[in-house]
Amino acid sequence: MEEERTLVINPLEDINKLKALASEPRIQMLSLLRNRTLNINEIADELKLPQSTVATHISILENAGLLITESVRAKKGNQKLCRPSFREVLVQFPEEQSPERNFIDIEMPIGIFTDCRVTAPCGLCSPEHIIGLLDIPDSFLNPERMKAGLLWCGSGSFEYKFPNNTLYDQKRLNKLEVSMELSSETPGTNADWPSDITVWINKVEIGTWTSPGDFGDKRGKYTPLWWKLEGSQYGLLKHFSVTQEGSFVDGVQISGVRLSDLEIPEHHSIRVRVGVKEDAEHMGGMNIFGKGFGNYDQGIILRSYFAE
């Protein structure tokens, strides 16, 4: 079975895993085994260490759940094959939880758009394969779009219809936030390829963020191995928000559009549209990354914040 991609270590609870990692030889072994399966003799030869020392370190990593070993037949007796349990290890302190949630999240898969108007180059794919035909806008009508993990277009837009849960909460809405992983789009990739990506909520244009480029310098954390490195690999996670003071991207104001301008209480749904205008100053296309692609493994998240 293929190893899991990422292990997140809580340092307050997983002290044994941290201790197993607190050794230069063991770190070297995990690095050596990233893309290979080796036996203890091969590891010892590569790292110029005694076999007994390697066997001890392997046992510590195995007991901590960081390494998987398998005993198989060899020309003389058996040999122990070693491979990592995870491709990536992150150390993350747990966030303090508020005693009462003051927000509601809705996550929309990127393929569940209710309206789509795009121009080539364009296409979509799931984490398993390309959906439909490349550069044919009608492919976005394919029912398999529900599984999409990546959408791209030269210009145009996608609209998503979220349920308006603010209608059923007695608290006052004081902030609406949309987060998604985005990048520009060009044949191949180009980190210096600006594109003006605009967001509308309930048909009101809240503002534009300029993506700096289409990123392909390294594989996205969740981008599948079958997707060629020449294609878009990941984007930047952007947070578009609207308050009574205006509209913002990652805390930087982009327009004077306020919550009251969106008429949230008058609608049973909240419509979010994201796209590149045909008359944009920087018409550099757009990639939207969803689950199974990019660096964040999420769809489009609508978060409604309420007053305490």
Side-chain angles (χ1 to χ4, degrees):
M1 185 177 73
E2 184 181 1
E3 67 268 22
E4 296 291 334
R5 291 181 178 271
T6 305
L7 168 67
V8 179
I9 295 178
N10 178 348
L12 302 180
E13 298 177 357
D14 300 324
I15 193 66
N16 288 335
K17 287 184 173 60
L18 285 180
K19 288 180 177 178
L21 291 169
S23 162
E24 184 175 353
R26 292 198 284 275
I27 293 295
Q28 290 175 337
M29 290 176 194
L30 290 175
S31 178
L32 182 66
L33 294 167
R34 272 187 308 168
N35 300 308
R36 291 192 284 174
T37 298
L38 301 175
N39 62 35
I40 289 178
N41 291 344
E42 291 169 332
I43 296 171
D45 290 342
E46 291 266 4
L47 299 181
K48 304 296 189 292
L49 292 173
Q51 292 181 13
S52 58
T53 300
V54 171
T56 299
H57 286 305
I58 291 296
S59 178
I60 292 171
L61 290 170
E62 185 178 13
N63 291 336
L66 299 171
L67 204 67
I68 298 171
T69 65
E70 180 184 4
S71 183
V72 299
R73 283 177 171 263
K75 291 182 178 179
K76 296 181 179 179
N78 293 329
Q79 62 175 337
K80 181 178 281 190
L81 298 180
C82 310
R83 61 185 176 88
S85 302
F86 304 93
R87 293 184 182 176
E88 185 175 26
V89 177
L90 302 177
V91 178
Q92 179 175 310
F93 285 92
E95 295 183 4
E96 292 187 8
Q97 297 295 319
S98 171
E100 182 179 356
R101 283 170 56 99
N102 68 335
F103 61 85
I104 297 175
D105 276 352
I106 306 174
E107 182 172 2
M108 185 71 67
I110 65 170
I112 310 297
F113 45 80
T114 52
D115 186 52
C116 168
R117 304 168 189 177
V118 299
T119 63
C122 60
L124 68 166
C125 58
S126 71
E128 289 76 36
H129 55 80
I130 291 173
I131 297 171
L133 301 174
L134 297 179
D135 299 334
I136 304 296
D138 285 350
S139 291
F140 289 86
L141 301 175
N142 192 312
E144 279 198 74
R145 67 185 176 88
M146 299 176 65
K147 303 175 184 178
L150 177 63
L151 308 174
W152 66 93
C153 64
S155 68
S157 63
F158 300 91
E159 185 175 84
Y160 299 86
K161 195 172 182 180
F162 291 81
N164 187 359
N165 289 334
T166 68
L167 296 175
Y168 312 106
D169 198 296
Q170 301 303 311
K171 298 177 182 178
R172 177 174 59 85
L173 179 70
N174 64 4
K175 179 180 177 181
L176 199 66
E177 180 182 272
V178 180
S179 66
M180 57 190 116
E181 186 176 354
L182 300 168
S183 80
S184 310
E185 161 58 22
T186 183
T189 62
N190 187 340
D192 185 17
W193 188 263
S195 186
D196 295 337
I197 298 177
T198 300
V199 170
W200 297 259
I201 297 180
N202 286 351
K203 299 184 178 181
V204 177
E205 181 179 328
I206 67 165
T208 297
W209 166 71
T210 301
S211 168
D214 185 358
F215 307 109
D217 57 307
K218 59 183 177 181
R219 185 171 296 281
K221 182 191 298 185
Y222 298 99
T223 301
L225 295 177
W226 66 266
W227 184 251
K228 294 181 179 180
L229 280 171
E230 292 79 9
S232 306
Q233 292 296 315
Y234 63 91
L236 301 176
L237 185 64
K238 308 309 293 181
H239 298 80
F240 295 82
S241 59
V242 185
T243 70
Q244 281 301 81
E245 285 70 50
S247 297
F248 305 81
V249 173
D250 297 337
V252 177
Q253 189 161 6
I254 54 173
S255 80
V257 174
R258 301 182 298 171
L259 266 178
S260 55
D261 298 322
L262 304 182
E263 300 181 341
I264 300 296
E266 280 72 50
H267 298 275
H268 286 282
S269 63
I270 298 175
R271 296 188 176 190
V272 176
R273 182 178 289 274
V274 54
V276 177
K277 298 178 182 178
E278 291 185 358
D279 61 351
E281 180 180 354
H282 303 101
M283 199 171 73
M286 176 178 67
N287 281 285
I288 305 178
F289 297 83
K291 283 189 172 294
F293 270 86
N295 282 345
Y296 294 94
D297 201 36
Q298 69 164 64
I300 298 175
I301 297 177
L302 177 69
R303 176 171 288 185
S304 304
Y305 288 89
F306 299 92
E308 293 290 349

